[in-house]
Amino acid sequence: MTLPIHAQVVVIGGGIIGCSTAYHLAKDHGADVVLLEQGKLTSGSTWHAAGLVGQLRSSASITKVLKYSVDLYKRLSDETGLETGWKMTGCLRLATNQDRWTEYKRLATTAGSFGMEMHLISPDEVKRMWPLMDVADLVGASWLPTDGQASPSDITQSLAKGARMHGAKIVEGVRVTGFAMEGARITAVHTTKGTIIAEKVINCAGQWARQVGAMAGINVPLQPVKHQYIITDPIAGLSPDAPTLRDPDRRTYFKEEVGGLVMGGYEPNPQPWVTGDVPNDWEFGLFGDDFDHFEQHMEQAMHRVPALATAGVKQMINGSESFTPDGNFILGRAMECENMYVGAGFNAFGIASGGGAGWVLAEWAMTGEAPLDLWAVDILRFSDMHRDRQWVCDRTLEAYGKHYTIGFPHEEYTSGRPRIVSPLFARLKAKGAVFGSKLGWERPNWFARNGVEPRDIYSMGRQNWFAAVGEEHAHVREHVGLFDQSSFAKYELTGPAAADALAKICAGHVGRPVGRVTYTQLLNTRGGIEADLTVARLAEDHFYIVTGTGFRTHDQAWIASHLPSTGCTLRDVTEAYGTLSLMGPKAREVLAAVTSENVSNTAFPFGTVQDIRIAGAQIRALRLTYVGELGWELHVPIAAIGDVYDALMAAGHQLRPVGYRCLESLRLEKGYRAWSSDITPNDTPMEAGLGWAVRKADQGFIGAQALAKAGPLTKRFAGFALDDPAAVLVGRETVLRDGVAVGYLTSGGYGYTIGKSIGYGYVRNSSGVSDDFLASGNYALVVASQTYPAKIMLEAPFDPSNSRVKA
């Protein structure tokens, strides 16, 4: 095909993701689409993918994306006439120990919460379904009947035909060599066969996506890793309908193929490929067989399926697959380029994700907004630290090695640490701090007492830090604690147009007098919550914006993309300021001891910002809280934070440093929402019980029209408390009302002051969720497949009047 000179959308890459995206662009949006493939369709990693299709993930939205893939693969051949090789064989996941079994009990609960069928079955049932398997070491297995397998190449060719049927143009044998840019915008795509003027570009280049992105100035943090599997000769007694099989405790997977088995695994010592560019001519490329490295999988597989010991090996596939530093794939628009979207880094989930990823990516590119909460896979979860290719490689290999390990709650990555530390790191470590990591920042999670080893010991029950965090929690409630929150993302917006710009972006009333601090949400056009943050007005044309550590790139990109072209400037000042959060009933006494300014309730009321001096440094002090106590966030010039910390600690009043796990338990008792779990782009402020933070007049903000058109609420945020101390809540537990599932928890933990497990989530009812509906039901929570009576809470279980906050 001759290369067109213009396209509304250019899709780069002819694997399953690119073809799915082109198909949905053409079919759903009638877009003028050109897909460019440097070799032949499927010639990247699609052609050698194993083709297992699982659907359940920890995110409801990502599970929905994968379920969409299955629905598409079932019906696509009716439209195109080309089969996809889809077989709904179901999937067995094996458990050989109690921690794994508990994980499956939690996953079964999650599946129920997300509307998926999943069963926990006995070893005898496993043996009946898979007679060739040795089940002697099994505790049991999970069974997902709607999972299955497909032919990656067949799906891709069927999607490509469907795309052509709806008007898309597909050009093979043409490589992208660069882009014509005007500022941060692509105007044309340069290729080996000419130039295409383009309005939008979607980078689905697989393991080449990083170098394609770099041509437009964006970073796509992925790492090619060598991944091996074998295909055996036919094995007697193997059913053609045998379920796909995952044996995570032995780190292997199996699927039936032409009477034999496909078997591979995820080893703890994976082999990376290049940290530089992938060769352009790696078309249908494979590495040499490496049976020495694969032996660890072969040994484990033969224990599970003894017939493998005598089966012939027809072929070994040793190919490269794109993996990412956190094991989640990459979708969305990077902030560095206004009109390039990315779909890449699928961590061997490309076939399972392909149909749904193409659907959401097409929607995202055509509307400018993700169609649902896709934060778990959004490219904006990364930051500048992910430009370090060696760091990305090291962390990606750790993530690969965890592919089949038990997913313990609160587990931390260990590679590439410490990456970013506050100046207080050594002081806090000397106090027994046990650190976690968020977007590269080392942050104290909890503090070990004298004689206690300062490290996490993971388990499925109460973990080793539970009592220590309880002590910290009580100390903040009764005395005063100091949190090092220097990792907060911080921006300054200045200029004559700043106030009007924020009035459009923020749902809250940020145009308050100088000196006021506003908590506000940023909404999408559907009224969903894209971010929540605080805005302090320092001057008529100067605003200070603070948000969560992990949302640094995301929130900056959202704000920047909605600012006018002139009249205001947004600057990231995260590293310019450290943050010390002084919280507790004695916070005022500590602060008064170290500053000469008047910090009384009259002189320094809640929800205000003032400059004060501590230890000779000028501090930006914001009186607010995320723990439900009297307190201040002290934003300190980073060079002075050590002196300010020392002065505060010397002030007495039983001040002690406390950690983020204490912060989490405190906020749960106060019912404070956490973005990305309790509140997401899927949820409106009214559904989340945050309507009080939305301005009623002047409806000129983004999302206002959607809120105005919304009918009666069919879901509402609520809290739940359990009396049984054995129930450990971590989120995604099913909420039952009068025995019927009505939702699931978005977050969960323990409230030490009230002595109960606490969870939050949305109660759903298609006929409406009124106060009477919420109050009249009998509630229970399904926790790891066991049902516990629960009490619904429609206000904070601790200090609902906020008397302590405003003391």
Side-chain angles (χ1 to χ4, degrees):
M1 177 182 286
T2 303
L3 196 70
I5 62 171
H6 176 273
Q8 184 183 7
V9 186
V10 170
V11 177
I12 302 171
I16 191 169
I17 309 302
C19 288
S20 177
T21 301
Y23 167 82
H24 287 93
L25 285 165
K27 182 175 186 290
D28 296 347
H29 302 277
D32 171 23
V33 185
V34 174
L35 183 149
L36 306 177
E37 164 54 47
Q38 66 177 357
K40 298 289 187 181
L41 295 184
T42 78
S43 65
S45 57
T46 297
W47 73 275
H48 63 69
L52 279 71
V53 179
Q55 300 166 82
L56 181 62
R57 301 295 286 267
S58 60
S59 157
S61 290
I62 305 305
T63 299
K64 183 176 181 179
V65 168
L66 271 59
K67 288 172 72 175
Y68 177 94
S69 293
V70 168
D71 291 340
L72 178 63
Y73 302 160
K74 287 178 183 177
R75 58 180 164 81
L76 189 61
S77 62
D78 292 338
E79 178 185 344
T80 68
L82 293 182
E83 292 296 333
T84 63
W86 166 252
K87 287 202 304 183
M88 195 173 79
T89 58
C91 177
L92 287 167
R93 287 177 171 85
L94 309 182
T96 66
N97 58 71
Q98 287 301 322
D99 277 338
R100 181 74 70 182
W101 191 235
T102 300
E103 180 183 43
Y104 287 179
K105 290 178 180 178
R106 291 192 175 278
L107 285 171
T109 299
T110 298
S113 294
F114 295 170
M116 284 191 66
E117 184 181 357
M118 180 173 175
H119 306 281
L120 300 177
I121 64 175
S122 70
D124 288 343
E125 291 174 284
V126 173
K127 184 70 173 179
R128 179 180 57 79
M129 296 170 72
W130 237 91
L132 295 180
M133 191 192 310
D134 184 340
V135 300
D137 62 341
L138 294 191
V139 176
S142 70
W143 166 239
L144 287 93
T146 61
D147 281 358
Q149 61 190 68
S151 166
S153 294
D154 289 347
I155 294 172
T156 304
Q157 295 293 348
S158 189
L159 287 166
K161 183 176 179 181
R164 291 188 186 100
M165 288 167 60
H166 294 286
K169 302 175 184 69
I170 296 177
V171 187
E172 297 175 288
V174 55
R175 179 166 53 84
V176 173
T177 58
F179 302 101
M181 308 283 294
E182 286 185 4
R185 190 170 189 84
I186 295 170
T187 57
V189 181
H190 300 311
T191 80
T192 51
K193 293 188 176 179
T195 295
I196 308 177
I197 297 170
E199 298 172 27
K200 296 178 181 179
V201 175
I202 305 183
N203 177 1
C204 300
Q207 51 202 330
W208 292 271
R210 182 170 62 186
Q211 55 225 61
V212 169
M215 297 177 191
I218 74 169
N219 180 44
V220 183
L222 51 80
Q223 172 62 46
V225 179
K226 297 178 181 180
H227 183 76
Q228 298 184 91
Y229 64 85
I230 60 168
I231 304 170
T232 75
D233 291 329
I235 297 175
L238 180 62
S239 168
D241 296 321
T244 60
L245 180 66
R246 289 175 171 86
D247 189 3
D249 295 325
R250 293 185 182 273
R251 301 192 294 273
T252 53
Y253 61 80
F254 305 80
K255 76 162 188 173
E256 187 276 339
E257 185 168 297
V258 198
L261 280 175
V262 168
M263 185 279 289
Y266 292 87
E267 62 274 19
N269 58 333
Q271 298 175 313
W273 191 22
V274 292
T275 55
D277 289 349
V278 175
N280 291 322
D281 61 356
W282 189 250
E283 182 179 348
F284 297 109
L286 289 174
F287 305 106
D289 297 349
D290 188 349
F291 280 99
D292 288 342
H293 191 72
F294 194 72
E295 183 180 5
Q296 57 190 303
H297 296 315
M298 201 70 211
E299 180 181 343
Q300 294 293 331
M302 287 190 293
H303 281 292
R304 180 62 63 214
V305 184
L308 277 172
T310 56
V313 175
K314 184 186 302 182
Q315 185 181 11
M316 169 174 275
I317 302 291
N318 187 3
S320 57
E321 300 247 13
S322 295
F323 288 81
T324 64
D326 61 4
N328 289 326
F329 48 88
I330 301 173
L331 294 180
R333 184 178 68 83
M335 68 179 296
E336 300 96 331
C337 180
E338 295 176 3
N339 59 339
M340 175 181 275
Y341 293 79
V342 178
F346 280 84
N347 302 276
F349 282 105
I351 310 309
S353 309
W359 159 56
V360 298
L361 197 51
E363 290 280 336
W364 206 334
M366 296 305 291
T367 66
E369 292 182 357
L372 64 165
D373 171 29
L374 295 172
W375 168 243
V377 297
D378 194 329
I379 193 171
L380 297 178
R381 71 191 188 272
F382 301 119
S383 68
D384 279 349
M385 63 179 270
H386 292 92
R387 293 183 180 276
D388 182 336
R389 292 190 175 186
Q390 189 58 54
W391 188 93
V392 167
C393 179
D394 294 343
R395 178 57 60 87
T396 300
L397 295 183
E398 183 183 5
Y400 179 106
K402 288 179 179 289
H403 193 90
Y404 276 160
T405 60
I406 295 170
F408 290 111
H410 314 291
E411 189 172 2
E412 297 275 352
Y413 284 99
T414 59
S415 60
R417 294 178 56 188
R419 176 75 183 190
I420 308 171
V421 298
S422 94
L424 303 180
F425 181 78
R427 289 174 172 86
L428 298 174
K429 190 172 184 178
K431 292 280 189 180
V434 181
F435 291 91
S437 179
K438 194 69 169 284
L439 209 64
W441 284 84
E442 293 291 317
R443 313 190 312 172
N445 276 339
W446 62 284
F447 288 81
R449 301 294 89 204
N450 290 335
V452 176
E453 185 180 5
R455 72 180 183 96
D456 288 333
I457 301 175
Y458 299 118
S459 74
M460 282 295 180
R462 300 287 183 209
Q463 297 186 0
N464 66 311
W465 45 263
F466 182 76
V469 170
E471 292 177 16
E472 294 175 30
H473 179 114
H475 195 87
V476 174
R477 287 276 185 251
E478 296 165 11
H479 305 289
V480 60
L482 192 64
F483 301 84
D484 180 10
Q485 296 189 280
S486 298
S487 62
F488 272 160
K490 316 167 195 80
Y491 325 104
E492 292 191 357
L493 185 68
T494 56
D500 288 342
L502 282 177
K504 177 184 177 183
I505 296 168
C506 300
H509 182 40
V510 295
R512 289 174 171 163
V514 173
R516 293 294 301 274
V517 180
T518 303
Y519 164 73
T520 182
Q521 296 92 43
L522 315 186
L523 308 183
N524 56 41
T525 57
R526 304 187 308 277
I529 302 171
E530 287 288 342
D532 78 324
L533 39 75
T534 56
V535 179
R537 192 168 198 174
L538 306 182
E540 291 295 327
D541 61 352
H542 188 182
F543 295 85
Y544 184 58
I545 303 169
V546 183
T547 190
T549 304
F551 316 134
R552 178 178 182 174
T553 308
H554 173 276
D555 290 6
Q556 182 181 3
W558 183 269
I559 295 168
S561 67
H562 292 91
L563 291 177
S565 57
T566 61
C568 55
T569 302
L570 182 68
R571 291 190 306 127
D572 186 326
V573 295
T574 298
E575 278 77 26
Y577 294 92
T579 304
L580 294 172
S581 292
L582 182 69
M583 300 287 160
K586 295 183 179 179
R588 182 175 285 117
E589 297 170 53
V590 173
L591 199 56
V594 297
T595 186
S596 60
E597 278 81 10
N598 186 348
V599 294
S600 68
N601 194 50
T602 303
F604 202 150
F606 181 77
T608 62
V609 55
Q610 295 182 28
D611 283 348
I612 64 175
R613 295 193 72 80
I614 302 174
Q618 183 166 301
I619 312 299
R620 188 173 287 170
L622 285 66
R623 188 175 164 198
L624 43 78
T625 183
Y626 192 56
V627 304
E629 295 291 343
L630 169 68
W632 282 263
E633 282 181 12
L634 305 174
H635 292 255
V636 184
I638 196 71
I641 196 170
D643 291 341
V644 171
Y645 171 88
D646 292 341
L648 289 166
M649 293 301 294
H653 302 287
Q654 296 180 270
L655 179 65
R656 61 179 279 190
V658 289
Y660 270 83
R661 292 198 177 131
C662 169
L663 181 81
E664 175 69 4
S665 68
L666 291 163
R667 77 97 184 167
L668 286 169
E669 285 190 336
K670 278 295 293 174
Y672 293 144
R673 282 64 160 161
W675 191 83
S676 79
S677 56
D678 301 322
I679 50 178
T680 75
N682 292 345
D683 313 307
T684 70
M686 283 62 183
E687 293 167 338
L690 296 172
W692 57 268
V694 177
R695 61 186 191 268
K696 305 301 186 291
D698 180 22
Q699 299 293 300
F701 58 89
I702 297 168
Q705 290 184 348
L707 296 184
K709 293 177 182 176
L713 298 179
T714 57
K715 71 174 187 180
R716 282 178 59 184
F717 192 76
F720 299 89
L722 299 182
D723 290 327
D724 195 322
V728 178
L729 302 181
V730 296
R732 299 178 299 281
E733 293 84 0
T734 307
V735 178
L736 304 178
R737 179 184 180 274
D738 296 337
V740 177
V742 292
Y744 56 89
L745 297 189
T746 51
S747 62
Y750 192 78
Y752 293 90
T753 309
I754 67 170
K756 297 178 186 292
S757 291
I758 300 172
Y760 292 94
Y762 290 87
V763 175
R764 292 166 168 82
N765 181 38
S766 59
S767 300
V769 183
S770 64
D771 288 345
D772 287 344
F773 179 86
L774 289 173
S776 61
N778 291 313
Y779 290 90
L781 298 180
V782 183
V783 183
S785 301
Q786 184 172 343
T787 301
Y788 296 86
K791 178 184 177 183
I792 193 169
M793 303 180 296
L794 301 181
E795 61 180 11
F798 180 80
D799 188 29
S801 67
N802 286 326
S803 60
R804 295 168 73 94
V805 170
K806 298 180 179 179

